[in-house]
Amino acid sequence: NRIKLQINDLGASTSQIDRLLQVNHEWKNLNPFYVLDIPHTVDDDSVISARYRALSLLVHPDKCPDDPVRAKDAFEQVRKAMSQMNDSDKRRHVQALVEQGMKQGKRDWEAEKSEGNNCVTDPGKEEEGLMQAQNKATMKIFAEIEHRRRNIERRKHDFEQRERAQEDEEKAKEKNEREHDKNWREGERVEKRIGSWRNFQGGGKKGGKMGRFN
């Protein structure tokens, strides 16, 4: 069936886990087409779904008892990629970004050759060099977008932190003012009671002296 064909095409579990968790995978895996290991031109939901199911089976922790920790990380990468692919708007956006990266990579490759840095005559190496340049340019585009997203999130978080700190400061100030007013009123009442008692005592003493003279 289709899933088995996809599994055969993907190869061994270990090779897929290594691919998904290779150096700089954090940036490479921003491209869900790369994660699922299919061309960015694929837009058939059934093909994408079959690929996802096959890759999920290969790297599922239960299927990789010898390396469950890395398998779990790889499985999470696949799951995140599919969540993007399920959103048609996000998928089209990703496809546009990959197209942009491929065009930029081709320009970079042509520029590098014209500068004499790469005098490639072998057609196979020519194709390989172009592909590497395109992959590099594509990853750069995704990485730049992710950097901007993280910067926005960080600024938003910092702003919210400052807002909360300011709010806490204002609440603490209001609480201190209420405590101060409360203590002041209590002190005023105590002073009034003391004053009344003193007046009473003073009045009593005066009355006593007058009684003795009479």
Side-chain angles (χ1 to χ4, degrees):
N1 67 28
R2 180 176 287 182
I3 302 298
K4 287 183 179 180
L5 289 174
Q6 292 286 345
I7 289 176
N8 290 334
D9 181 55
L10 288 166
S13 297
T14 53
S15 64
Q16 285 298 327
I17 292 174
D18 289 342
R19 181 181 69 84
L20 292 168
L21 300 181
Q22 64 182 295
V23 176
N24 292 325
H25 73 273
E26 178 184 6
W27 307 109
K28 291 181 179 180
N29 292 350
L30 292 171
N31 177 1
F33 286 96
Y34 170 80
V35 174
L36 297 181
D37 201 12
I38 55 177
H40 74 285
T41 51
V42 174
D43 208 27
D44 186 328
D45 287 340
S46 62
V47 173
I48 294 172
S49 178
R51 191 68 162 192
Y52 165 70
R53 291 173 62 189
L55 187 55
S56 296
L57 284 171
L58 273 179
V59 301
H60 195 282
D62 292 344
K63 302 291 184 180
C64 305
D66 294 334
D67 198 1
V69 175
R70 295 180 74 240
K72 182 180 179 181
D73 291 342
F75 181 81
E76 181 63 19
Q77 297 295 322
V78 176
R79 189 195 64 77
K80 287 195 296 185
M82 193 58 190
S83 69
Q84 286 184 278
M85 298 292 259
N86 282 332
D87 187 317
S88 58
D89 291 334
K90 287 184 179 180
R91 190 195 304 175
R92 283 193 294 269
H93 178 61
V94 167
Q95 287 173 323
L97 292 176
V98 176
E99 284 289 341
Q100 181 184 341
M102 294 188 73
K103 290 176 182 177
Q104 182 60 51
K106 186 175 181 179
R107 288 193 293 269
D108 294 343
W109 176 245
E110 294 296 335
E112 190 173 353
K113 287 196 302 178
S114 66
E115 292 173 1
N117 295 328
N118 272 313
C119 299
V120 181
T121 56
D122 186 336
K125 290 184 178 179
E126 167 75 19
E127 185 178 350
E128 182 182 351
L130 174 60
M131 187 181 298
Q132 288 177 352
Q134 289 175 324
N135 289 339
K136 182 179 179 181
T138 301
M139 185 176 72
K140 183 179 179 182
I141 289 173
F142 279 92
E144 287 174 348
I145 292 173
E146 178 63 12
H147 274 302
R148 287 197 294 271
R149 186 194 68 80
R150 291 185 183 186
N151 285 336
I152 291 171
E153 285 293 320
R154 186 176 65 252
R155 287 197 296 270
K156 180 182 177 182
H157 178 264
D158 291 344
F159 174 77
E160 290 174 349
Q161 287 284 87
R162 288 194 298 270
E163 286 285 296
R164 281 195 292 269
Q166 185 176 353
E167 185 178 341
D168 291 343
E169 185 179 346
E170 289 175 355
K171 286 181 179 179
K173 184 179 178 181
E174 290 174 1
K175 182 180 178 182
N176 290 335
E177 288 176 351
R178 288 195 299 270
E179 289 291 330
H180 175 75
D181 290 343
K182 179 182 177 183
N183 293 336
W184 184 83
R185 286 194 298 271
E186 289 179 352
E188 190 177 47
R189 284 197 294 270
V190 170
E191 286 295 328
K192 284 182 179 178
R193 287 199 296 270
I194 293 175
S196 298
W197 174 251
R198 285 174 177 169
N199 290 337
F200 173 77
Q201 288 289 83
K205 288 178 180 178
K206 288 177 183 179
K209 290 179 181 178
M210 290 175 64
R212 284 197 299 272
F213 284 123
N214 290 334

